[in-house]
Amino acid sequence: MWATTTAVSWKTLGLASLLLALGLEGVTRLLLFVLRGRQQRRSSASEVLFFPAPPTCTEALLRPSRPLPCACGLPHTESSLSRLMLRLLSARRSLELCIFSFSNPQLARTVLLLHRRGVRVRLIADSDYMAVKGSQVGVLRKAGIAVRHDQHIGYMHHKFAVVDKTVLITGSLNWTTQAIQTNRENILILEDVTVVKAFMEEFERIWQEYDPSTYEFFPAKK
Amino acid sequence: MWATTTAVSWKTLGLASLLLALGLEGVTRLLLFVLRGRQQRRSSASEVLFFPAPPTCTEALLRPSRPLPCACGLPHTESSLSRLMLRLLSARRSLELCIFSFSNPQLARTVLLLHRRGVRVRLIADSDYMAVKGSQVGVLRKAGIAVRHDQHIGYMHHKFAVVDKTVLITGSLNWTTQAIQTNRENILILEDVTVVKAFMEEFERIWQEYDPSTYEFFPAKK
């Protein structure tokens, strides 16, 4: 009788412990699976681009419907500019742009392409630099893209973009051909939720502050 | 006999399972502890600072040995500038600086303080902007800090710092008082190993390229 009772209690304990062990192993495996997935998403998400980037042909990105390769003499290789364009072209719903100086035609065509595809584009510019020769801000505005600008003595010196409210593209690079092809510059691409949220909040703050209804006709000169 | 054998085998199974369960639980707890620690380090690691920042007193950071509070009329509150200075002052071994325009006296004093504490400071500057009125590059150089600069037509337009080879400080902000107090600017502080590594490699690449032994006396004008 004692042996049977002992056997039963050991049996219960054994089964319970086995279930516990299996349960915990399951939890551990699930935990590791989820965390590994998160880590992979993290590492694939962040990217660093450095400039100057040598001129390359980006027509394949801007005219994806044309099957024939472009006949221009430029190299048809990847560059920091084409990587940047690819990241922008991944936008499906929204693109927030907060760019101090924007005169590069390829990046303007990238933004126009997204606008035509139905992506909601909003652009914040600096009032001085949007008026310089070669600026693409007027071109984008004429195409129907919403543009707002500062009226301050200081510069709106940000150079960042947010793709689909999830990907931040930021750095030292102004969106000018000189900066892309001649300067030492950096671009950092991140999907960190907290960082993206902070930049989106800054965008919305500026967007509200630069509401055209608050514009003065003769503001203090810079 | 059967009962005893069964009891023994159930006992063995029970004990083995219990040990397995406890072992797995231990592993799980250890795993969670480590991961939680890493997450906490991560979340405390990334920080976003926006400018303009109103002028505040930063003497307490620059003269930590003086017990009395500064009698200046400025607010003694935290600001984006003081947060940036705190991050720089956390350096114990090395500080790499790659700054397009550096004229803010408080940031120059921060760097000088680190230099005096024995932190190995290296500064890469832009040849045009290091020569403008108010530039702090000459002051730092005279104090014995190693400075290198470009000789190119393009600008050395980066504005980043790496603290102890582990913390990246980057963004749109030039280290000038105008940018800090007047412009819309951002600073992103990250401890992401891959990102920091990419910026450190860029620093070393430029540092080698701008070796004084390769300087020409009459380079092409910008």
Side-chain angles (χ1 to χ4, degrees):
Chain A
M1 186 62 193
W2 178 87
T4 314
T5 315
T6 317
V8 169
S9 63
W10 275 118
K11 188 177 175 179
T12 314
L13 181 64
L15 278 173
S17 304
L18 194 63
L19 283 172
L20 186 66
L22 290 172
L24 281 172
E25 192 177 0
V27 169
T28 313
R29 275 169 188 274
L30 188 69
L31 200 71
L32 282 172
F33 177 77
V34 171
L35 287 166
R36 209 172 290 139
R38 280 181 60 185
Q39 275 177 350
Q40 275 171 357
R41 277 201 298 280
R42 259 201 193 120
S43 60
S44 72
S46 77
E47 187 176 356
V48 185
L49 304 174
F50 290 113
F51 298 83
T56 55
C57 178
T58 51
E59 288 304 309
L61 296 175
L62 295 168
R63 297 189 213 180
S65 54
R66 284 203 183 184
L68 287 174
C70 177
C72 77
L74 291 171
H76 289 72
T77 49
E78 210 173 48
S79 66
S80 288
L81 175 61
S82 72
R83 291 293 310 159
L84 171 59
M85 288 168 68
L86 265 173
R87 287 294 193 143
L88 293 167
L89 288 168
S90 71
R92 291 292 168 265
R93 293 174 298 283
S94 63
L95 180 66
E96 273 77 34
L97 299 169
C98 207
I99 310 288
F100 173 56
S101 185
F102 190 164
S103 58
N104 178 259
Q106 284 150 297
L107 288 170
R109 285 174 62 197
T110 306
V111 174
L112 285 172
L113 188 57
L114 290 169
H115 175 62
R116 279 197 295 273
R117 281 180 186 167
V119 172
R120 186 200 180 202
V121 181
R122 291 185 290 167
L123 168 60
I124 295 175
D126 178 77
S127 57
D128 278 2
Y129 275 74
M130 67 186 277
V132 299
K133 198 180 162 191
S135 167
Q136 296 290 318
V137 177
V139 178
L140 300 173
R141 195 172 234 172
K142 273 183 199 153
I145 290 170
V147 177
R148 294 189 179 183
H149 59 82
D150 70 300
Q151 281 209 318
H152 302 135
I153 292 169
Y155 289 125
M156 199 309 292
H157 200 244
H158 288 305
K159 316 106 176 18
F160 72 84
V162 183
V163 174
D164 289 339
K165 300 193 182 359
T166 52
V167 184
L168 172 70
I169 299 172
T170 187
S172 68
L173 185 87
N174 284 308
W175 289 18
T176 71
T177 307
Q178 189 217 305
I180 292 165
Q181 293 183 4
T182 325
N183 291 359
R184 288 273 183 178
E185 306 272 6
N186 65 76
I187 281 276
L188 182 51
I189 301 165
L190 286 179
E191 293 191 31
D192 182 303
V193 177
T194 318
V195 174
V196 172
K197 188 169 173 282
F199 277 83
M200 270 306 299
E201 284 170 359
E202 172 74 352
F203 185 92
E204 296 296 353
R205 212 165 22 235
I206 302 181
W207 189 255
Q208 290 310 317
E209 196 182 310
Y210 295 177
D211 188 312
S213 67
T214 66
Y215 285 174
E216 295 162 28
F217 284 92
F218 302 103
K221 279 253 178 197
K222 276 192 187 179
Chain B
M1 183 65 190
W2 179 87
T4 314
T5 316
T6 317
V8 169
S9 65
W10 276 118
K11 190 176 175 179
T12 314
L13 181 64
L15 280 171
S17 304
L18 192 63
L19 284 172
L20 186 66
L22 290 172
L24 280 173
E25 194 178 358
V27 169
T28 314
R29 275 170 188 274
L30 187 69
L31 199 73
L32 282 171
F33 176 77
V34 172
L35 286 166
R36 209 171 291 140
R38 279 182 61 186
Q39 276 176 349
Q40 276 170 356
R41 276 201 300 280
R42 258 202 193 118
S43 60
S44 73
S46 78
E47 186 175 359
V48 185
L49 304 173
F50 290 112
F51 298 82
T56 55
C57 179
T58 52
E59 289 304 308
L61 296 175
L62 295 168
R63 298 190 212 180
S65 53
R66 284 203 183 185
L68 286 173
C70 176
C72 77
L74 291 171
H76 290 71
T77 49
E78 210 174 48
S79 66
S80 288
L81 175 61
S82 72
R83 292 291 312 158
L84 171 58
M85 288 168 67
L86 265 174
R87 287 295 194 144
L88 292 167
L89 289 168
S90 72
R92 291 292 169 266
R93 292 174 299 282
S94 63
L95 179 66
E96 273 77 34
L97 299 168
C98 207
I99 310 289
F100 173 57
S101 185
F102 190 164
S103 58
N104 178 261
Q106 283 150 297
L107 288 170
R109 284 175 64 198
T110 307
V111 173
L112 285 173
L113 188 57
L114 290 170
H115 175 61
R116 279 198 294 272
R117 281 180 187 166
V119 172
R120 186 199 180 203
V121 181
R122 291 186 291 167
L123 167 60
I124 295 176
D126 179 77
S127 56
D128 278 2
Y129 275 74
M130 67 187 276
V132 299
K133 197 180 161 190
S135 167
Q136 297 290 318
V137 177
V139 178
L140 300 173
R141 195 172 234 173
K142 273 183 200 155
I145 289 171
V147 176
R148 294 190 178 182
H149 58 82
D150 71 301
Q151 281 209 318
H152 303 135
I153 292 169
Y155 290 124
M156 199 308 293
H157 201 243
H158 288 305
K159 316 108 175 18
F160 72 83
V162 183
V163 174
D164 288 338
K165 299 191 181 5
T166 52
V167 183
L168 172 70
I169 299 173
T170 187
S172 67
L173 185 88
N174 284 307
W175 289 19
T176 70
T177 307
Q178 190 217 305
I180 291 165
Q181 293 183 4
T182 325
N183 290 359
R184 288 274 184 177
E185 306 273 5
N186 65 76
I187 282 276
L188 182 53
I189 301 164
L190 286 179
E191 292 192 32
D192 182 302
V193 177
T194 318
V195 174
V196 172
K197 188 170 174 281
F199 276 83
M200 270 306 298
E201 284 170 0
E202 172 73 353
F203 185 92
E204 297 296 353
R205 211 164 23 235
I206 302 181
W207 189 255
Q208 291 309 318
E209 196 183 309
Y210 295 176
D211 188 311
S213 67
T214 67
Y215 285 174
E216 296 163 27
F217 285 93
F218 304 101
K221 279 253 178 197
K222 277 190 187 178

